[in-house]
Amino acid sequence: MSSQQSHYLAGDFPATMSPPSTAVVYDHHGPPDTATRLTEIPPVKITENDVCVRMLAAPINPADINKIEGVYPDQSPLPIIGGGEGVGIIHSVGYAVKALSPGDLVIRFPYIQGSWQTYIVQEESMWHKIDKSTPIEYAATVSVNPVSALRMLDEFVTLKPGDSIVQNGATSITGQCIIQLARLRGIYSINIIRDKPGSDEVKEKLKKIGADKVFTEKELNVKRVKSLLGDISEPILGLNCVGGNAATLVVKFLKQGGTMVTYGGMSKEPVTVSTSYFVFKDITLKGFWLQEWKLDQAKYRDWIDYLLALARVGKLKYEMEMVPFNDFYIALGKSMGKQGSRGKQVLKF
């Protein structure tokens, strides 16, 4: 270790430099547990418009894993620091920064690489100040899954109280947010989950947060799935993040002229729709990718503030597991399903 590095580690930091940082880096694509490495990043210069943030928490999202594997459509030049969203507290600012101050709680905007490190230096516009009373785990995870849920409920069809939606992947964070946001608007949700042991317990959990109907895929192997709706109207909007048979089940529920939006493909199976649904029911199929979906900065900040306000009063909640950053590879393994079904893994710095 150089004398300069020892100087920084002692805590005596010049105003123009960041502290040294520990980061998860990958310089080639491949299996995430072998392609990534923990490494030390030397201090970074803080220019006049920069903000230096000490990270507090950052999640491991499926997109983060896909980027390491090299199968995600948005690929940045290597080597790169992993992670795409997170929350931190401002450590220091450049002399021209006016809207942010040391001690402010901030999240990263927009969805960009580099949140898996202890300190980040970026231009002021890349940060959004939030209420300090916000639970850290929700601040760390708000900008992808909850925002996606909010946008999909607003962008594709006009929903009004009394309408209904249908979705698969209901146990995901996006799925849980869709249930709660729909309930707040007086919209019924029909939810499809996978056939797994403990499905009755899963159903009860989803109903506690506002789900109106929850079915396993096997329970929907009937000719007339709409007879299962009771007094709930046929849904005009379907949301698919699984693909394969689970997507077909979403389409079966849709009313005449309904729309199914696909935002993921967890089963890695294609979406197949019978010709009759197009010809006789005028079904529309759409796709959604948040990273390319109308990310107007002002609106995006409003969406985040709205969702975090709900989280602060307990009207938006979902399951997560906080894991120390030093246990990164344990959290990564859980995120990749190596220890069975786990909640969202959130790294705590």
Side-chain angles (χ1 to χ4, degrees), residues 105-139:
L105 191 64
V106 291
I107 63 171
R108 306 177 77 222
F109 174 92
Y111 190 91
I112 50 179
Q113 286 292 109
S115 64
W116 295 347
Q117 58 182 315
T118 51
Y119 285 89
I120 304 178
V121 175
Q122 283 176 332
E123 204 271 335
E124 178 182 12
S125 65
M126 293 294 100
W127 300 98
H128 176 55
K129 181 179 176 180
I130 61 173
D131 191 303
K132 285 187 176 180
S133 66
T134 304
I136 295 302
E137 64 271 28
Y138 288 100

PDB file of all heavy atoms in Angstrom, residues 105-139:
ATOM      1  N   LEU A 105     -29.915  12.235   1.892  1.00  0.00           N
ATOM      2  CA  LEU A 105     -30.169  10.865   1.454  1.00  0.00           C
ATOM      3  C   LEU A 105     -30.563  10.920  -0.023  1.00  0.00           C
ATOM      4  O   LEU A 105     -31.476  11.668  -0.401  1.00  0.00           O
ATOM      5  CB  LEU A 105     -31.292  10.241   2.280  1.00  0.00           C
ATOM      6  CG  LEU A 105     -31.514   8.730   2.139  1.00  0.00           C
ATOM      7  CD1 LEU A 105     -30.298   7.954   2.650  1.00  0.00           C
ATOM      8  CD2 LEU A 105     -32.777   8.301   2.905  1.00  0.00           C
ATOM      9  N   VAL A 106     -29.897  10.137  -0.868  1.00  0.00           N
ATOM     10  CA  VAL A 106     -30.117  10.224  -2.314  1.00  0.00           C
ATOM     11  C   VAL A 106     -30.170   8.840  -2.942  1.00  0.00           C
ATOM     12  O   VAL A 106     -29.568   7.888  -2.448  1.00  0.00           O
ATOM     13  CB  VAL A 106     -29.017  11.045  -3.009  1.00  0.00           C
ATOM     14  CG1 VAL A 106     -29.107  12.518  -2.644  1.00  0.00           C
ATOM     15  CG2 VAL A 106     -27.623  10.493  -2.676  1.00  0.00           C
ATOM     16  N   ILE A 107     -30.922   8.752  -4.045  1.00  0.00           N
ATOM     17  CA  ILE A 107     -30.896   7.542  -4.865  1.00  0.00           C
ATOM     18  C   ILE A 107     -30.372   7.911  -6.241  1.00  0.00           C
ATOM     19  O   ILE A 107     -30.397   9.071  -6.641  1.00  0.00           O
ATOM     20  CB  ILE A 107     -32.279   6.866  -4.969  1.00  0.00           C
ATOM     21  CG1 ILE A 107     -33.288   7.775  -5.665  1.00  0.00           C
ATOM     22  CG2 ILE A 107     -32.780   6.456  -3.612  1.00  0.00           C
ATOM     23  CD1 ILE A 107     -34.584   7.071  -5.969  1.00  0.00           C
ATOM     24  N   ARG A 108     -29.921   6.901  -6.976  1.00  0.00           N
ATOM     25  CA  ARG A 108     -29.305   7.137  -8.276  1.00  0.00           C
ATOM     26  C   ARG A 108     -30.365   7.263  -9.361  1.00  0.00           C
ATOM     27  O   ARG A 108     -31.364   6.562  -9.380  1.00  0.00           O
ATOM     28  CB  ARG A 108     -28.364   5.982  -8.626  1.00  0.00           C
ATOM     29  CG  ARG A 108     -27.345   5.723  -7.561  1.00  0.00           C
ATOM     30  CD  ARG A 108     -26.486   4.536  -7.920  1.00  0.00           C
ATOM     31  NE  ARG A 108     -25.494   4.913  -8.916  1.00  0.00           N
ATOM     32  CZ  ARG A 108     -25.173   4.167  -9.963  1.00  0.00           C
ATOM     33  NH1 ARG A 108     -25.813   3.053 -10.174  1.00  0.00           N
ATOM     34  NH2 ARG A 108     -24.242   4.559 -10.788  1.00  0.00           N
ATOM     35  N   PHE A 109     -30.130   8.177 -10.291  1.00  0.00           N
ATOM     36  CA  PHE A 109     -31.028   8.381 -11.420  1.00  0.00           C
ATOM     37  C   PHE A 109     -30.191   8.590 -12.668  1.00  0.00           C
ATOM     38  O   PHE A 109     -29.233   9.369 -12.638  1.00  0.00           O
ATOM     39  CB  PHE A 109     -31.893   9.627 -11.187  1.00  0.00           C
ATOM     40  CG  PHE A 109     -32.738   9.962 -12.391  1.00  0.00           C
ATOM     41  CD1 PHE A 109     -34.014   9.455 -12.495  1.00  0.00           C
ATOM     42  CD2 PHE A 109     -32.249  10.769 -13.414  1.00  0.00           C
ATOM     43  CE1 PHE A 109     -34.797   9.768 -13.604  1.00  0.00           C
ATOM     44  CE2 PHE A 109     -33.013  11.063 -14.518  1.00  0.00           C
ATOM     45  CZ  PHE A 109     -34.295  10.564 -14.619  1.00  0.00           C
ATOM     46  N   PRO A 110     -30.521   7.985 -13.803  1.00  0.00           N
ATOM     47  CA  PRO A 110     -31.508   6.911 -13.932  1.00  0.00           C
ATOM     48  C   PRO A 110     -30.863   5.564 -13.640  1.00  0.00           C
ATOM     49  O   PRO A 110     -29.867   5.524 -12.908  1.00  0.00           O
ATOM     50  CB  PRO A 110     -31.910   7.027 -15.410  1.00  0.00           C
ATOM     51  CG  PRO A 110     -30.644   7.461 -16.072  1.00  0.00           C
ATOM     52  CD  PRO A 110     -29.929   8.361 -15.074  1.00  0.00           C
ATOM     53  N   TYR A 111     -31.386   4.487 -14.232  1.00  0.00           N
ATOM     54  CA  TYR A 111     -30.851   3.148 -13.997  1.00  0.00           C
ATOM     55  C   TYR A 111     -29.526   3.016 -14.744  1.00  0.00           C
ATOM     56  O   TYR A 111     -29.486   2.795 -15.943  1.00  0.00           O
ATOM     57  CB  TYR A 111     -31.853   2.100 -14.489  1.00  0.00           C
ATOM     58  CG  TYR A 111     -31.507   0.692 -14.069  1.00  0.00           C
ATOM     59  CD1 TYR A 111     -31.998   0.169 -12.877  1.00  0.00           C
ATOM     60  CD2 TYR A 111     -30.683  -0.101 -14.846  1.00  0.00           C
ATOM     61  CE1 TYR A 111     -31.676  -1.118 -12.484  1.00  0.00           C
ATOM     62  CE2 TYR A 111     -30.354  -1.392 -14.462  1.00  0.00           C
ATOM     63  CZ  TYR A 111     -30.865  -1.892 -13.282  1.00  0.00           C
ATOM     64  OH  TYR A 111     -30.545  -3.174 -12.889  1.00  0.00           O
ATOM     65  N   ILE A 112     -28.418   3.167 -14.037  1.00  0.00           N
ATOM     66  CA  ILE A 112     -27.085   3.111 -14.638  1.00  0.00           C
ATOM     67  C   ILE A 112     -26.184   2.204 -13.810  1.00  0.00           C
ATOM     68  O   ILE A 112     -26.458   1.939 -12.638  1.00  0.00           O
ATOM     69  CB  ILE A 112     -26.458   4.521 -14.748  1.00  0.00           C
ATOM     70  CG1 ILE A 112     -26.544   5.248 -13.405  1.00  0.00           C
ATOM     71  CG2 ILE A 112     -27.108   5.339 -15.837  1.00  0.00           C
ATOM     72  CD1 ILE A 112     -25.928   6.621 -13.396  1.00  0.00           C
ATOM     73  N   GLN A 113     -25.117   1.733 -14.438  1.00  0.00           N
ATOM     74  CA  GLN A 113     -24.213   0.795 -13.789  1.00  0.00           C
ATOM     75  C   GLN A 113     -23.401   1.435 -12.655  1.00  0.00           C
ATOM     76  O   GLN A 113     -23.154   2.640 -12.679  1.00  0.00           O
ATOM     77  CB  GLN A 113     -23.240   0.224 -14.814  1.00  0.00           C
ATOM     78  CG  GLN A 113     -23.861  -0.790 -15.760  1.00  0.00           C
ATOM     79  CD  GLN A 113     -24.246  -2.071 -15.066  1.00  0.00           C
ATOM     80  OE1 GLN A 113     -25.424  -2.354 -14.888  1.00  0.00           O
ATOM     81  NE2 GLN A 113     -23.275  -2.860 -14.674  1.00  0.00           N
ATOM     82  N   GLY A 114     -22.984   0.597 -11.689  1.00  0.00           N
ATOM     83  CA  GLY A 114     -21.991   1.030 -10.724  1.00  0.00           C
ATOM     84  C   GLY A 114     -22.422   1.178  -9.285  1.00  0.00           C
ATOM     85  O   GLY A 114     -21.712   1.807  -8.497  1.00  0.00           O
ATOM     86  N   SER A 115     -23.547   0.585  -8.871  1.00  0.00           N
ATOM     87  CA  SER A 115     -24.013   0.805  -7.490  1.00  0.00           C
ATOM     88  C   SER A 115     -23.384  -0.146  -6.483  1.00  0.00           C
ATOM     89  O   SER A 115     -23.507   0.072  -5.278  1.00  0.00           O
ATOM     90  CB  SER A 115     -25.540   0.696  -7.410  1.00  0.00           C
ATOM     91  OG  SER A 115     -25.980  -0.615  -7.726  1.00  0.00           O
ATOM     92  N   TRP A 116     -22.690  -1.186  -6.947  1.00  0.00           N
ATOM     93  CA  TRP A 116     -22.081  -2.129  -6.010  1.00  0.00           C
ATOM     94  C   TRP A 116     -20.675  -1.667  -5.623  1.00  0.00           C
ATOM     95  O   TRP A 116     -19.668  -2.306  -5.911  1.00  0.00           O
ATOM     96  CB  TRP A 116     -22.014  -3.524  -6.622  1.00  0.00           C
ATOM     97  CG  TRP A 116     -23.358  -4.140  -6.888  1.00  0.00           C
ATOM     98  CD1 TRP A 116     -24.576  -3.719  -6.442  1.00  0.00           C
ATOM     99  CD2 TRP A 116     -23.593  -5.298  -7.684  1.00  0.00           C
ATOM    100  NE1 TRP A 116     -25.574  -4.543  -6.904  1.00  0.00           N
ATOM    101  CE2 TRP A 116     -25.007  -5.530  -7.675  1.00  0.00           C
ATOM    102  CE3 TRP A 116     -22.788  -6.169  -8.409  1.00  0.00           C
ATOM    103  CZ2 TRP A 116     -25.594  -6.588  -8.364  1.00  0.00           C
ATOM    104  CZ3 TRP A 116     -23.367  -7.228  -9.091  1.00  0.00           C
ATOM    105  CH2 TRP A 116     -24.749  -7.437  -9.057  1.00  0.00           C
ATOM    106  N   GLN A 117     -20.605  -0.533  -4.963  1.00  0.00           N
ATOM    107  CA  GLN A 117     -19.339  -0.016  -4.454  1.00  0.00           C
ATOM    108  C   GLN A 117     -19.621   0.891  -3.259  1.00  0.00           C
ATOM    109  O   GLN A 117     -20.723   1.426  -3.124  1.00  0.00           O
ATOM    110  CB  GLN A 117     -18.570   0.731  -5.532  1.00  0.00           C
ATOM    111  CG  GLN A 117     -19.292   1.894  -6.155  1.00  0.00           C
ATOM    112  CD  GLN A 117     -18.476   2.550  -7.257  1.00  0.00           C
ATOM    113  OE1 GLN A 117     -17.275   2.778  -7.091  1.00  0.00           O
ATOM    114  NE2 GLN A 117     -19.115   2.859  -8.376  1.00  0.00           N
ATOM    115  N   THR A 118     -18.652   1.043  -2.405  1.00  0.00           N
ATOM    116  CA  THR A 118     -18.888   1.758  -1.153  1.00  0.00           C
ATOM    117  C   THR A 118     -18.967   3.274  -1.332  1.00  0.00           C
ATOM    118  O   THR A 118     -19.672   3.947  -0.584  1.00  0.00           O
ATOM    119  CB  THR A 118     -17.809   1.403  -0.121  1.00  0.00           C
ATOM    120  OG1 THR A 118     -16.512   1.566  -0.724  1.00  0.00           O
ATOM    121  CG2 THR A 118     -17.957  -0.042   0.344  1.00  0.00           C
ATOM    122  N   TYR A 119     -18.260   3.824  -2.321  1.00  0.00           N
ATOM    123  CA  TYR A 119     -18.341   5.263  -2.616  1.00  0.00           C
ATOM    124  C   TYR A 119     -18.501   5.454  -4.126  1.00  0.00           C
ATOM    125  O   TYR A 119     -17.855   4.749  -4.910  1.00  0.00           O
ATOM    126  CB  TYR A 119     -17.089   6.011  -2.148  1.00  0.00           C
ATOM    127  CG  TYR A 119     -17.019   6.207  -0.652  1.00  0.00           C
ATOM    128  CD1 TYR A 119     -16.411   5.245   0.155  1.00  0.00           C
ATOM    129  CD2 TYR A 119     -17.559   7.343  -0.050  1.00  0.00           C
ATOM    130  CE1 TYR A 119     -16.346   5.409   1.531  1.00  0.00           C
ATOM    131  CE2 TYR A 119     -17.495   7.517   1.324  1.00  0.00           C
ATOM    132  CZ  TYR A 119     -16.892   6.549   2.114  1.00  0.00           C
ATOM    133  OH  TYR A 119     -16.833   6.727   3.471  1.00  0.00           O
ATOM    134  N   ILE A 120     -19.350   6.395  -4.509  1.00  0.00           N
ATOM    135  CA  ILE A 120     -19.570   6.696  -5.932  1.00  0.00           C
ATOM    136  C   ILE A 120     -19.434   8.196  -6.142  1.00  0.00           C
ATOM    137  O   ILE A 120     -20.002   8.987  -5.373  1.00  0.00           O
ATOM    138  CB  ILE A 120     -20.967   6.256  -6.401  1.00  0.00           C
ATOM    139  CG1 ILE A 120     -21.196   4.759  -6.136  1.00  0.00           C
ATOM    140  CG2 ILE A 120     -21.157   6.556  -7.886  1.00  0.00           C
ATOM    141  CD1 ILE A 120     -22.585   4.275  -6.529  1.00  0.00           C
ATOM    142  N   VAL A 121     -18.729   8.583  -7.183  1.00  0.00           N
ATOM    143  CA  VAL A 121     -18.638   9.987  -7.585  1.00  0.00           C
ATOM    144  C   VAL A 121     -19.301  10.128  -8.953  1.00  0.00           C
ATOM    145  O   VAL A 121     -18.878   9.502  -9.925  1.00  0.00           O
ATOM    146  CB  VAL A 121     -17.173  10.465  -7.657  1.00  0.00           C
ATOM    147  CG1 VAL A 121     -17.114  11.901  -8.193  1.00  0.00           C
ATOM    148  CG2 VAL A 121     -16.519  10.382  -6.289  1.00  0.00           C
ATOM    149  N   GLN A 122     -20.363  10.948  -9.008  1.00  0.00           N
ATOM    150  CA  GLN A 122     -21.053  11.200 -10.265  1.00  0.00           C
ATOM    151  C   GLN A 122     -21.590  12.622 -10.276  1.00  0.00           C
ATOM    152  O   GLN A 122     -21.742  13.265  -9.232  1.00  0.00           O
ATOM    153  CB  GLN A 122     -22.209  10.207 -10.471  1.00  0.00           C
ATOM    154  CG  GLN A 122     -21.739   8.827 -10.914  1.00  0.00           C
ATOM    155  CD  GLN A 122     -22.862   7.837 -11.022  1.00  0.00           C
ATOM    156  OE1 GLN A 122     -23.877   7.947 -10.334  1.00  0.00           O
ATOM    157  NE2 GLN A 122     -22.697   6.838 -11.871  1.00  0.00           N
ATOM    158  N   GLU A 123     -21.920  13.079 -11.454  1.00  0.00           N
ATOM    159  CA  GLU A 123     -22.446  14.428 -11.641  1.00  0.00           C
ATOM    160  C   GLU A 123     -23.763  14.603 -10.882  1.00  0.00           C
ATOM    161  O   GLU A 123     -24.522  13.654 -10.702  1.00  0.00           O
ATOM    162  CB  GLU A 123     -22.640  14.669 -13.147  1.00  0.00           C
ATOM    163  CG  GLU A 123     -22.633  16.125 -13.568  1.00  0.00           C
ATOM    164  CD  GLU A 123     -24.023  16.730 -13.499  1.00  0.00           C
ATOM    165  OE1 GLU A 123     -25.016  15.965 -13.603  1.00  0.00           O
ATOM    166  OE2 GLU A 123     -24.119  17.952 -13.318  1.00  0.00           O
ATOM    167  N   GLU A 124     -24.014  15.814 -10.406  1.00  0.00           N
ATOM    168  CA  GLU A 124     -25.155  16.113  -9.537  1.00  0.00           C
ATOM    169  C   GLU A 124     -26.489  15.613 -10.083  1.00  0.00           C
ATOM    170  O   GLU A 124     -27.334  15.119  -9.329  1.00  0.00           O
ATOM    171  CB  GLU A 124     -25.213  17.629  -9.313  1.00  0.00           C
ATOM    172  CG  GLU A 124     -26.377  18.100  -8.457  1.00  0.00           C
ATOM    173  CD  GLU A 124     -26.425  19.601  -8.316  1.00  0.00           C
ATOM    174  OE1 GLU A 124     -25.688  20.297  -9.070  1.00  0.00           O
ATOM    175  OE2 GLU A 124     -27.183  20.095  -7.461  1.00  0.00           O
ATOM    176  N   SER A 125     -26.709  15.720 -11.395  1.00  0.00           N
ATOM    177  CA  SER A 125     -28.003  15.359 -11.976  1.00  0.00           C
ATOM    178  C   SER A 125     -28.299  13.866 -11.883  1.00  0.00           C
ATOM    179  O   SER A 125     -29.439  13.438 -12.097  1.00  0.00           O
ATOM    180  CB  SER A 125     -28.069  15.796 -13.439  1.00  0.00           C
ATOM    181  OG  SER A 125     -27.119  15.090 -14.215  1.00  0.00           O
ATOM    182  N   MET A 126     -27.284  13.064 -11.577  1.00  0.00           N
ATOM    183  CA  MET A 126     -27.472  11.616 -11.466  1.00  0.00           C
ATOM    184  C   MET A 126     -28.066  11.197 -10.127  1.00  0.00           C
ATOM    185  O   MET A 126     -28.298  10.012  -9.900  1.00  0.00           O
ATOM    186  CB  MET A 126     -26.130  10.901 -11.663  1.00  0.00           C
ATOM    187  CG  MET A 126     -25.553  11.007 -13.057  1.00  0.00           C
ATOM    188  SD  MET A 126     -26.547  10.155 -14.320  1.00  0.00           S
ATOM    189  CE  MET A 126     -27.430  11.539 -15.043  1.00  0.00           C
ATOM    190  N   TRP A 127     -28.335  12.157  -9.235  1.00  0.00           N
ATOM    191  CA  TRP A 127     -28.815  11.836  -7.888  1.00  0.00           C
ATOM    192  C   TRP A 127     -30.141  12.532  -7.611  1.00  0.00           C
ATOM    193  O   TRP A 127     -30.374  13.654  -8.061  1.00  0.00           O
ATOM    194  CB  TRP A 127     -27.787  12.256  -6.842  1.00  0.00           C
ATOM    195  CG  TRP A 127     -26.473  11.573  -7.019  1.00  0.00           C
ATOM    196  CD1 TRP A 127     -25.358  12.070  -7.635  1.00  0.00           C
ATOM    197  CD2 TRP A 127     -26.149  10.244  -6.609  1.00  0.00           C
ATOM    198  NE1 TRP A 127     -24.352  11.137  -7.622  1.00  0.00           N
ATOM    199  CE2 TRP A 127     -24.808  10.002  -7.001  1.00  0.00           C
ATOM    200  CE3 TRP A 127     -26.852   9.230  -5.948  1.00  0.00           C
ATOM    201  CZ2 TRP A 127     -24.164   8.799  -6.754  1.00  0.00           C
ATOM    202  CZ3 TRP A 127     -26.206   8.034  -5.703  1.00  0.00           C
ATOM    203  CH2 TRP A 127     -24.879   7.829  -6.093  1.00  0.00           C
ATOM    204  N   HIS A 128     -30.978  11.858  -6.860  1.00  0.00           N
ATOM    205  CA  HIS A 128     -32.279  12.416  -6.482  1.00  0.00           C
ATOM    206  C   HIS A 128     -32.418  12.377  -4.969  1.00  0.00           C
ATOM    207  O   HIS A 128     -32.337  11.313  -4.340  1.00  0.00           O
ATOM    208  CB  HIS A 128     -33.404  11.614  -7.140  1.00  0.00           C
ATOM    209  CG  HIS A 128     -34.774  12.053  -6.724  1.00  0.00           C
ATOM    210  ND1 HIS A 128     -35.206  13.358  -6.855  1.00  0.00           N
ATOM    211  CD2 HIS A 128     -35.817  11.366  -6.174  1.00  0.00           C
ATOM    212  CE1 HIS A 128     -36.456  13.455  -6.415  1.00  0.00           C
ATOM    213  NE2 HIS A 128     -36.838  12.265  -5.989  1.00  0.00           N
ATOM    214  N   LYS A 129     -32.625  13.543  -4.362  1.00  0.00           N
ATOM    215  CA  LYS A 129     -32.757  13.649  -2.916  1.00  0.00           C
ATOM    216  C   LYS A 129     -34.117  13.136  -2.476  1.00  0.00           C
ATOM    217  O   LYS A 129     -35.149  13.458  -3.076  1.00  0.00           O
ATOM    218  CB  LYS A 129     -32.591  15.114  -2.491  1.00  0.00           C
ATOM    219  CG  LYS A 129     -32.687  15.350  -0.995  1.00  0.00           C
ATOM    220  CD  LYS A 129     -32.489  16.832  -0.692  1.00  0.00           C
ATOM    221  CE  LYS A 129     -32.673  17.150   0.780  1.00  0.00           C
ATOM    222  NZ  LYS A 129     -32.472  18.590   1.054  1.00  0.00           N
ATOM    223  N   ILE A 130     -34.124  12.335  -1.398  1.00  0.00           N
ATOM    224  CA  ILE A 130     -35.376  11.791  -0.875  1.00  0.00           C
ATOM    225  C   ILE A 130     -35.490  12.067   0.616  1.00  0.00           C
ATOM    226  O   ILE A 130     -34.527  12.466   1.276  1.00  0.00           O
ATOM    227  CB  ILE A 130     -35.480  10.267  -1.131  1.00  0.00           C
ATOM    228  CG1 ILE A 130     -34.339   9.516  -0.429  1.00  0.00           C
ATOM    229  CG2 ILE A 130     -35.477   9.980  -2.628  1.00  0.00           C
ATOM    230  CD1 ILE A 130     -34.471   8.008  -0.487  1.00  0.00           C
ATOM    231  N   ASP A 131     -36.683  11.855   1.145  1.00  0.00           N
ATOM    232  CA  ASP A 131     -36.971  12.080   2.557  1.00  0.00           C
ATOM    233  C   ASP A 131     -36.106  11.160   3.425  1.00  0.00           C
ATOM    234  O   ASP A 131     -36.038   9.947   3.198  1.00  0.00           O
ATOM    235  CB  ASP A 131     -38.457  11.803   2.813  1.00  0.00           C
ATOM    236  CG  ASP A 131     -38.920  12.251   4.181  1.00  0.00           C
ATOM    237  OD1 ASP A 131     -38.338  11.791   5.180  1.00  0.00           O
ATOM    238  OD2 ASP A 131     -39.872  13.051   4.252  1.00  0.00           O
ATOM    239  N   LYS A 132     -35.469  11.728   4.438  1.00  0.00           N
ATOM    240  CA  LYS A 132     -34.559  10.962   5.295  1.00  0.00           C
ATOM    241  C   LYS A 132     -35.264   9.901   6.134  1.00  0.00           C
ATOM    242  O   LYS A 132     -34.610   8.992   6.662  1.00  0.00           O
ATOM    243  CB  LYS A 132     -33.780  11.904   6.215  1.00  0.00           C
ATOM    244  CG  LYS A 132     -32.676  12.677   5.507  1.00  0.00           C
ATOM    245  CD  LYS A 132     -31.839  13.457   6.513  1.00  0.00           C
ATOM    246  CE  LYS A 132     -30.687  14.162   5.830  1.00  0.00           C
ATOM    247  NZ  LYS A 132     -29.847  14.926   6.787  1.00  0.00           N
ATOM    248  N   SER A 133     -36.577   9.999   6.256  1.00  0.00           N
ATOM    249  CA  SER A 133     -37.303   8.996   7.044  1.00  0.00           C
ATOM    250  C   SER A 133     -37.636   7.746   6.235  1.00  0.00           C
ATOM    251  O   SER A 133     -38.236   6.802   6.750  1.00  0.00           O
ATOM    252  CB  SER A 133     -38.597   9.601   7.599  1.00  0.00           C
ATOM    253  OG  SER A 133     -39.511   9.918   6.555  1.00  0.00           O
ATOM    254  N   THR A 134     -37.251   7.724   4.971  1.00  0.00           N
ATOM    255  CA  THR A 134     -37.538   6.582   4.104  1.00  0.00           C
ATOM    256  C   THR A 134     -36.743   5.356   4.551  1.00  0.00           C
ATOM    257  O   THR A 134     -35.526   5.439   4.728  1.00  0.00           O
ATOM    258  CB  THR A 134     -37.175   6.901   2.645  1.00  0.00           C
ATOM    259  OG1 THR A 134     -37.869   8.082   2.234  1.00  0.00           O
ATOM    260  CG2 THR A 134     -37.549   5.750   1.729  1.00  0.00           C
ATOM    261  N   PRO A 135     -37.399   4.200   4.721  1.00  0.00           N
ATOM    262  CA  PRO A 135     -36.649   2.982   5.040  1.00  0.00           C
ATOM    263  C   PRO A 135     -35.612   2.694   3.955  1.00  0.00           C
ATOM    264  O   PRO A 135     -35.925   2.751   2.758  1.00  0.00           O
ATOM    265  CB  PRO A 135     -37.738   1.902   5.076  1.00  0.00           C
ATOM    266  CG  PRO A 135     -39.006   2.646   5.404  1.00  0.00           C
ATOM    267  CD  PRO A 135     -38.858   3.965   4.707  1.00  0.00           C
ATOM    268  N   ILE A 136     -34.397   2.409   4.361  1.00  0.00           N
ATOM    269  CA  ILE A 136     -33.284   2.250   3.430  1.00  0.00           C
ATOM    270  C   ILE A 136     -33.565   1.172   2.389  1.00  0.00           C
ATOM    271  O   ILE A 136     -33.239   1.328   1.205  1.00  0.00           O
ATOM    272  CB  ILE A 136     -31.980   1.929   4.196  1.00  0.00           C
ATOM    273  CG1 ILE A 136     -31.574   3.123   5.071  1.00  0.00           C
ATOM    274  CG2 ILE A 136     -30.857   1.572   3.228  1.00  0.00           C
ATOM    275  CD1 ILE A 136     -31.364   4.405   4.299  1.00  0.00           C
ATOM    276  N   GLU A 137     -34.158   0.048   2.814  1.00  0.00           N
ATOM    277  CA  GLU A 137     -34.369  -1.053   1.875  1.00  0.00           C
ATOM    278  C   GLU A 137     -35.330  -0.681   0.749  1.00  0.00           C
ATOM    279  O   GLU A 137     -35.180  -1.137  -0.398  1.00  0.00           O
ATOM    280  CB  GLU A 137     -34.851  -2.316   2.609  1.00  0.00           C
ATOM    281  CG  GLU A 137     -36.206  -2.199   3.289  1.00  0.00           C
ATOM    282  CD  GLU A 137     -36.112  -1.680   4.725  1.00  0.00           C
ATOM    283  OE1 GLU A 137     -35.154  -0.941   5.041  1.00  0.00           O
ATOM    284  OE2 GLU A 137     -37.012  -2.006   5.512  1.00  0.00           O
ATOM    285  N   TYR A 138     -36.321   0.186   1.045  1.00  0.00           N
ATOM    286  CA  TYR A 138     -37.249   0.619  -0.003  1.00  0.00           C
ATOM    287  C   TYR A 138     -36.609   1.686  -0.892  1.00  0.00           C
ATOM    288  O   TYR A 138     -36.823   1.703  -2.110  1.00  0.00           O
ATOM    289  CB  TYR A 138     -38.556   1.123   0.608  1.00  0.00           C
ATOM    290  CG  TYR A 138     -39.396   0.000   1.157  1.00  0.00           C
ATOM    291  CD1 TYR A 138     -39.407  -0.295   2.525  1.00  0.00           C
ATOM    292  CD2 TYR A 138     -40.150  -0.794   0.325  1.00  0.00           C
ATOM    293  CE1 TYR A 138     -40.149  -1.347   3.034  1.00  0.00           C
ATOM    294  CE2 TYR A 138     -40.904  -1.854   0.816  1.00  0.00           C
ATOM    295  CZ  TYR A 138     -40.902  -2.121   2.162  1.00  0.00           C
ATOM    296  OH  TYR A 138     -41.630  -3.178   2.649  1.00  0.00           O
ATOM    297  N   ALA A 139     -35.822   2.556  -0.293  1.00  0.00           N
ATOM    298  CA  ALA A 139     -35.114   3.556  -1.089  1.00  0.00           C
ATOM    299  C   ALA A 139     -34.168   2.879  -2.076  1.00  0.00           C
ATOM    300  O   ALA A 139     -34.031   3.319  -3.229  1.00  0.00           O
ATOM    301  CB  ALA A 139     -34.337   4.498  -0.175  1.00  0.00           C
TER     302      ALA A 139
END
